[in-house]
Amino acid sequence: MDAGRKDIDALIDLMAKLPGLGPRSARRAVLHLIKKRGRLMSPLADAMKAVSENARECVKCGNIGTGTICDICASEKRAIGEICVVEDVADLWAMERAAVFRGRYHVLGGTLSALDAIGPEELRIPLLMSRVRDEGVTEIILALNATIDGQTTAHYIADELAGVCTVTSLAQGVPIGGELDYLDDGTITAALRARKGF
């Protein structure tokens, strides 16, 4: 096998490690990039190099930015009394896309999991507790996934902050435009329990 093919295979192997891409999808993506080398591959390589050199985790909240403190934490327009707690940076970005929440965030970096030996110290939970004390936080909004580990983490945080500040969570249930026939039992149960006046 020639050296060029080894480089291509190495790129395919790396791409296959990305979420949502298996070996076949990675091969297709790499071949497409090679065909569009000038328009796609070179700019992509430059962008990846720039992100690799400049991307940093915010020391306060765990968001990804280019400075020690992210733009959200640095903004004076953000409400300081509210912190929305999310599992991952992708969740933070999803909340920002909705453009509804005007407070600050805290990225845990995962969820508690006895099976994987992930306790509070492995996550950013102690830092969250410090922020609540030091920043005069009045409300924590738990925006964690509705999984067993997500809910376990939410209950742990709520217990730790009992009597310290208000702890709320996102409503769960029927999505806008959702049809009951297509929903799973857990979603229907959560929607029924969280029902409100009409």
Side-chain angles (χ1 to χ4, degrees):
M1 182 183 296
D2 64 42
R5 181 60 199 263
K6 280 184 184 173
D7 292 342
I8 294 168
D9 286 343
L11 180 57
I12 291 169
D13 289 343
L14 285 169
M15 294 278 285
K17 292 178 181 173
L18 295 172
L21 286 183
R24 291 178 65 199
S25 300
R27 193 175 315 111
R28 278 197 303 271
V30 168
L31 289 173
H32 182 74
L33 286 169
I34 291 169
K35 284 180 189 171
K36 309 284 184 184
R37 189 172 311 163
R39 244 184 35 219
L40 277 177
M41 189 175 255
S42 294
L44 178 63
D46 293 342
M48 289 177 77
K49 185 177 189 303
V51 168
S52 173
E53 291 170 357
N54 300 320
R56 304 204 182 336
E57 193 175 271
C58 176
V59 294
K60 267 185 139 180
C61 74
N63 189 15
I64 302 292
T66 54
T68 312
I69 303 286
C70 73
D71 293 342
I72 295 171
C73 287
S75 173
E76 292 180 12
K77 294 179 180 176
R78 293 291 185 146
I80 11 183
E82 300 174 330
I83 293 180
C84 180
V85 178
V86 294
E87 288 178 30
D88 203 319
V89 173
D91 300 329
L92 186 158
W93 290 358
M95 293 289 290
E96 280 296 285
R97 265 195 323 272
V100 184
F101 181 65
R102 300 310 304 156
R104 302 201 174 169
Y105 294 92
H106 189 83
V107 179
L108 293 176
T111 53
L112 296 172
S113 173
L115 213 58
D116 299 320
I118 299 172
E121 300 300 323
E122 283 73 40
L123 302 175
R124 296 169 52 89
I125 292 176
L127 183 57
L128 173 63
M129 301 307 160
S130 298
R131 288 185 70 192
V132 169
R133 277 193 317 271
D134 302 342
E135 296 178 22
V137 174
T138 55
E139 182 181 8
I140 289 291
I141 301 163
L142 299 171
L144 303 176
N145 292 324
T147 60
I148 291 171
D149 288 344
Q151 294 312 296
T152 301
T153 306
H155 286 293
Y156 176 85
I157 293 170
D159 289 347
E160 289 293 305
L161 293 174
V164 178
C165 67
T166 302
V167 180
T168 59
S169 67
L170 296 183
Q172 297 171 352
V174 181
I176 293 173
E179 297 180 30
L180 290 178
D181 190 34
Y182 292 103
L183 299 177
D184 62 274
D185 297 345
T187 302
I188 292 171
T189 302
L192 191 60
R193 287 187 179 146
R195 66 189 182 276
K196 58 182 183 359
F198 191 66

